[in-house]
Structure formats: structure tokens, C-alpha cells
DNA sequence: ACCCGTGGTTTACAGCGTAAGTCTGTCTCC
DNA sequence: GGAGACAGACTTACGCTGTAAACCACGGGT
């Protein structure tokens, strides 16, 4: 006798029943695969083997879906390092760990992070829908319990967040570039050579031309670590206790 | 005798003839007024007293229009400080001036800056369409001529850009919040109280609750100056010459 | 007188988000 | 067993979007 199933509504298609979580998860996968502009209600529904309007029972329209997607990613940010690594013992360790946690999520979903960055910069994390209070809470309490004054903690929160935002936005963009397939138009050959004048004008921009390869190198990882270190050192200096 | 007009095609309607520049300018004003999602080809055309399809003679579709909008804003960034202020004499002065130039543009068009930030982080400024090579060129040459090695100049460019990006994204978001009218639904009173549980849970997040006013204060201006100073000092240290 | 480029309009269409109605199978209570 | 109730999907329909394509008006140039 087969193990009982909690839902008898399985139409023998092996299709999991719809749910908000499933829809959001699939939306994330979809955006990862095909980009955010390709995400339409119908297309997403199709991927779930379902009609578009069915989604509306679980999701309050496309805007709400995107909110949920962002929320889901924010949820994945770990708030506290595992005890056994002793990272929580000093605030350097904590901030370092948090930065990497955010970075991991951002790099796992490069197509979504810009959305997170523009719709939920730290400034708006405390407005409904409250997406990440728990991160802020953890952040502030950790710093305060390590001896910072309240205003200092808040200031560090701001500095730290804007640092992360800029750094990751750039890194995500850089990676998207290097991995993106070169967009060859594959149109009819009618296209008149329009991008010749777009070519880098070596006469006008000699330095950029000379340093081009240097500029397009990807140091993201190392640079991230170094900049993070620098930020922490600076905080050390600023708030020497 | 009235001064002669260079265009005899004026249909007595007082309407300037269409042009790419005019369209882009109007699009910027539109976004400033009504936000980016409200910008549709028909709406913009209507504002120009013209039919939607007329825009397509000057603009290669909506996507191209947005590109042009971003490009126009990037163009407005001044590349070099006026000679008479002596800011170009030291690289601190130059970077400070450049940072403020970018900041001015960002704060003048808060609804557009996120678009600039996500579509044109520094990493993509060197790919066609080459939007801001001249900024990069000026940046690099200035630093190099002040004694930095080439790799240093490139690294500073990266650090500086990610700093600006994060800082301004946050500031723009913060300002948008404080000035945004509180979105009261004005629907029928049918709406069941759904945002009660969204309220800040004081029990679970005591620190955030306590520091809420501190967190929502707007120190953007002062903080921007301070962070910029700190960054420059750090660069001083790092590349002490 | 003709033509043709310039700068617009008109018409048309596919695809979007989504409001509203409808079907269908299962659960619950008698 | 029968009768609702109801959840979870599908179907239809509407208004709006971006945009392709065809169509005019008209002001010189030859």
C-alpha cells in the first residue's frame, strides 16, 4: 500500500500543486534563465504547466510577484554566522561574514540583484513591507553589544550598506558583461555600419585606449576583499574605542 | 520688423518642430514628473502634442529612448572643474568636484538615477554605446598626471565609482521616501486590515524600534561629504607617494 | 508639371496584465 | 448516498502597450 498523500488532488501528472512559494521559486529560476523582461505572467504560468490566471490566486499581480521575489532573496541573507567559527566574537568577523552572505546571494542571482538594489536599498528596508528588519536588528545589536554607541551603530550601518550596494552592483554588472554572449544582430545584412563611429576613438581617448585591457580585467573578488578590509580599518580608526 | 526665424515650417501652433533632443528632454521631464512606469510612447507623444508613431522617426523604440535619456544625463556630468577654482591643481580637489558633479545630476533626477545606476555602472561605460569614455579618460589622465601609476589610477577609478554608486543610490532612495506622499489606498473600505502584522514587531526587534527615528533621519548631505573625505584619506594612505 | 524627401497621421496587430465568470473535482455534514 | 460549499484551476474579455506598415500633406528642386 502506497504511502498516503496529503493531497488527493494530484491529477496524475506528477505536477506539484501550486503555491505562493512554488511560484516565487519558479519566478526566480525564470529570471535567472531568461532575464527579468522575459518574465510575463503567461510565460511563467506556462513553465508551471498552468494558465496565467491561476497564478493570481496566490500572487497579487505581477508587481506583487516581483516584491515577493525580492523578499525571498532578502530572506536568504543569513543574519548570524555559525557559532563554531568564532566570527561573532568580534565585529570585524561579523561584518565580514555578513558582507559575504549578501555577496553570495547577489552573485547567485545577478539578474535580480539590481532589482533588489533599486527597490530595497537600505533606506527602505524599514518601511512596509518590512523585508529585512531582522537583518537590521541583528546588525545594530551586534555592533552595540561590541561597544559601539547607538548613533555609531546606525552610522556604520549606513556606511556599510552603501558600500555593499555599490560594490555588488558593479561586480554583478561586470560579470554579466564578461559572460554575456556577444550580441550579433543576425539580421539581414541591410544594417549599415552604424557602430564604426561608436568604436573607441583612440585619438580622443588615448589613455582609455591604452589601459583598456586593464580596465576590463575582472578583479572583483580580490577587490571586494580589499575594499572590505579597508572599510573595516577605517571604521576602526573612526571609532577607536 | 520681427527678427527672422530660421524655420519657416512653424504651423502657427507655437509648437517647436520635433527632434531627438526635444523628445529626450521631454521624456526626462516626464519621468521627473510622473515616474518611469508612466512613460509610454503615447503619453509622451501626447505631451508633445503629437501622435505616438511620430516619435519613431527620431527614436528607435522605447528602449532606445531610455538609453538616450540615460545618455543625456551622463552627458551632463561635468568632466573638469573650472580653472579659476584651482581644484584641478590637486587630485583631491578634482575627485571632490567630480563626485559633486555626479551627485548634482543624480539628485536633480532621482527617478532616473536608479536606471543609470543599473544600466550603466562603471563596468559598462566602456562598451558601445560608449556613453562616458570622456569621463573615464579625464579621470585617468588627471590621476596619472598627478603622479599615480596606471594600475593605481584604474583601481582608484573602480573604488571611486562603486563608492559613488552606493552612496547616491541610497541617498536618492532616502529622499524619495521622505518626500513621497503616503500612499493611502482610497479604495472602498472593504480592505481588511492586512498591514497590522506588517507593523514593526517591537518585541522581536527592540533595537530597531528604539532607534527608528535615528535610522530614518536624513544625514545624506553631511554623510556624503564625510564618506567622501574618508575615501580620499584612505586613498592618500594607500597610495602615499 | 513632375517628383520626391520630409514629417507627420492612420490603421492594424500581437502580446501584455488582469477583472470577472465558469467549470470541476473533492470535502463535509446530514 | 445526496447536497451544498468550496478551493483551484480554466476561459473569456477588455483596455492598454509597443510598434510595423501603409498612407497622406506639402514644400522645394528640376
Amino acid at each position: 500500500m502506497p504511502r498516503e498523500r496529503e493531497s488527493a488532488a494530484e491529477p496524475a501528472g506528477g505536477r506539484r500543486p501550486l503555491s505562493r512559494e512554488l511560484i516565487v521559486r519558479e519566478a526566480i529560476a525564470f529570471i535567472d534563465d531568461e532575464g527579468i523582461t522575459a518574465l510575463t505572467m503567461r510565460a511563467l504560468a506556462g513553465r508551471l504547466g498552468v494558465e496565467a490566471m491561476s497564478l493570481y490566486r496566490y500572487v497579487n499581480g505581477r508587481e506583487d510577484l516581483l516584491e515577493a521575489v525580492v523578499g525571498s532573496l532578502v530572506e536568504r541573507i543569513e543574519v548570524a554566522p555559525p557559532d563554531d567559527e568564532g566570527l561573532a566574537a568580534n565585529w570585524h568577523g561579523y561584518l565580514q561574514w555578513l558582507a559575504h552572505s549578501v555577496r553570495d546571494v547577489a552573485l547567485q542571482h545577478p539578474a535580480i540583484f539590481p532589482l533588489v538594489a533599486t527597490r530595497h536599498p537600505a533606506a527602505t528596508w524599514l518601511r512596509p513591507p518590512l523585508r529585512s528588519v531582522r537583518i537590521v536588528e541583528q546588525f545594530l545589536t551586534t555592533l552595540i553589544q561590541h561597544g559601539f554607541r547607538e548613533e555609531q551603530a546606525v552610522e556604520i550601518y549606513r556606511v556599510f550598506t552603501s558600500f555593499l550596494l555599490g560594490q555588488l552592483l558593479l561586480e554583478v554588472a561586470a560579470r554579466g558583461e564578461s559572460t554575456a554572449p556577444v550580441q550579433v544582430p543576425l539580421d539581414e545584412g541591410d544594417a549599415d555600419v552604424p557602430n564604426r563611429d561608436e568604436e573607441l576613438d583612440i585619438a580622443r581617448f588615448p589613455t582609455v585606449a591604452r589601459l583598456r585591457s586593464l580596465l576590463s580585467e575582472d578583479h572583483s573578488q580580490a577587490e571586494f576583499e580589499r575594499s572590505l578590509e579597508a572599510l573595516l580599518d577605517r571604521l576602526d580608526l573612526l571609532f577607536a574605542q
Side-chain angles (χ1 to χ4, degrees), chain A:
Chain A
M1 162 182 175
R3 148 179 355 132
E4 64 177 17
R5 292 167 163 273
E6 75 296 345
S7 164
E10 198 110 0
R15 212 164 74 212
R16 277 165 306 179
L18 238 43
S19 76
R20 188 169 226 265
E21 289 67 38
L22 178 63
I23 292 176
V24 170
R25 216 169 9 191
E26 199 68 32
I28 292 176
F30 194 112
I31 298 178
D32 283 345
D33 291 353
E34 323 205 16
I36 209 157
T37 62
L39 177 74
T40 75
M41 299 303 274
R42 287 183 235 257
L44 179 60
R47 205 161 140 143
L48 286 160
V50 118
E51 224 60 27
M53 288 310 290
S54 305
L55 305 180
Y56 282 81
R57 193 156 301 266
Y58 305 94
V59 154
N60 227 330
R62 193 185 127 105
E63 202 56 23
D64 178 52
L65 172 60
L66 288 180
E67 279 294 325
V69 163
V70 169
S72 168
L73 251 56
V74 170
E75 291 284 310
R76 298 185 196 186
I77 298 174
E78 304 278 349
V79 292
D83 295 341
D84 54 310
E85 291 193 36
L87 286 175
N90 58 83
W91 59 275
H92 267 223
Y94 168 68
L95 290 189
Q96 212 130 20
W97 194 84
L98 179 58
H100 280 99
S101 175
V102 174
R103 183 169 183 268
D104 287 347
V105 174
L107 293 188
Q108 268 162 26
H109 304 280
I112 309 183
F113 181 73
L115 203 69
V116 180
T118 54
R119 295 166 80 111
H120 293 293
T124 74
W125 279 2
L126 293 180
R127 298 201 153 266
L130 299 169
R131 247 163 299 256
S132 55
V133 223
R134 75 187 216 294
I135 299 177
V136 184
E137 176 72 20
Q138 176 79 14
F139 191 102
L140 295 178
T141 57
T142 301
L143 260 64
I144 288 173
Q145 101 191 5
H146 276 300
F148 286 98
R149 291 205 324 274
E150 296 186 334
E151 313 90 72
Q152 290 178 332
V154 170
E155 177 165 0
I156 292 179
Y157 170 73
R158 289 213 187 93
V159 170
F160 184 78
T161 311
S162 83
F163 162 79
L164 263 186
L165 221 54
Q167 203 78 24
L168 293 181
L169 216 47
L170 226 62
E171 186 166 355
V172 159
R175 307 219 160 185
E177 294 258 305
S178 52
T179 54
V182 181
Q183 278 276 63
V184 68
L186 63 78
D187 236 348
E188 60 268 26
D190 189 9
D192 47 352
V193 281
N195 46 353
R196 265 298 149 261
D197 57 326
E198 276 284 36
E199 279 293 308
L200 197 58
D201 185 341
I202 299 187
R204 284 181 52 203
F205 309 114
T207 314
V208 168
R210 179 156 37 87
L211 301 184
R212 186 155 212 190
S213 75
L214 210 57
L215 278 163
S216 61
E217 275 176 27
D218 184 16
H219 297 137
S220 331
Q221 169 79 35
E223 235 170 65
F224 182 82
E225 306 297 349
R226 215 137 30 89
S227 295
L228 181 54
E229 288 283 358
L231 178 71
L232 296 183
D233 287 350
R234 190 192 126 206
L235 293 180
D236 255 345
L237 270 173
L238 248 170
F239 305 109
Q241 316 171 54

